[in-house]
Amino acid sequence: MEIAENAALIVVDVQEGFEEEAYWGPRNNPEADRNIAGLIDAWQSSGRPVVFVRHDSPKPDSPLRVGQPGNSFKGYVEERRGKGDGPGLLLTKSVNSAFYGTPDLKEWLDRNGIRQLVVAGIQTNMCVETTARMGGNLGYEVFVPLDATHTFDLAGPWGWTLGADELARATAVSLHGGGFAKVVSSAELIAAAE
C-alpha cells in the first residue's frame, strides 16, 4: 500500500467519556488505544497531518457533553496534540460524521491538497464508519485500521442485539466490500508511512 506524504490521520472521538462502561456497555478491542497512539506517533514523526475530532454531544445525559470530564480527549491523545511537524487541526462535531464539524473538514483537506485519509478512533460502527463512508463518497482514498477502533454492544429493533465484535466485523465488511474504504491493520499503515 502506498501512503502519500500528506495523507491525513483523522483521530475520531478518542474521549474520556467512552471509558464509562456503565453508560456504553461492554466494548471490544482492548488494544485500540495502543494502536491509535502508534498511528499518531507515526504520523507526527513523518510530518503528516493529524486531525483530532472531538464529539460535543448535545444529549443531556451523555458523558461526551461539553463541560463534563468525559468530553476531554483521553490523556495519551491530549499529550500528543500540537506535536509533530505536520499540519494539525482540532475539529468539533455533534453528529456522527467529521465532515459535518467545525471547521469544515472537506475545505481544510482540499486547501491542503489532501486526497488520502486514515480514519481511526471510537466508535467503529458509528463515527468512524460514518466519516469513512462520507470520505469515500466525496472521492477521497480512505483507509480504516480496524485494530485502531473500538465499539460497544448495541441493541436495535425487534429485540436484536449485536456484540461489539460483530458490529466491528459488519463495519469492516460494509466499508471494504462496499468500496468505501480499504480496511487494514495499524501495523500495515505504520510500515507504509515510514
Side-chain angles (χ1 to χ4, degrees), residues 1 124 132 142-147 149 168-177 180-186 188-189:
M1 112 182 45
T124 312
V142 181
F143 295 91
V144 175
L146 193 66
D147 63 348
T149 74
R169 282 194 299 273
T171 290
V173 170
S174 293
L175 289 177
H176 198 90
F180 295 101
K182 294 179 181 107
V183 177
V184 297
S185 72
S186 55
E188 289 175 283
L189 286 166

Side-chain angles (χ1 to χ4, degrees), residues 6 9 15 17 23 36 41 46 48 61 65 82 109 113 121 127-128 163 166 172 182 185:
N6 70 343
L9 173 63
Q15 293 166 254
Y23 184 86
I36 293 165
D41 291 344
S46 70
R48 289 180 172 87
D61 66 333
R65 65 192 187 282
L109 294 169
C127 297
V128 170
E166 292 175 286
K182 294 179 181 107
S185 72

Side-chain angles (χ1 to χ4, degrees), residues 30-49:
E31 298 300 314
D33 291 300
R34 181 177 59 81
N35 294 329
I36 293 165
L39 284 166
I40 296 170
D41 291 344
W43 251 247
Q44 289 179 330
S45 68
S46 70
R48 289 180 172 87

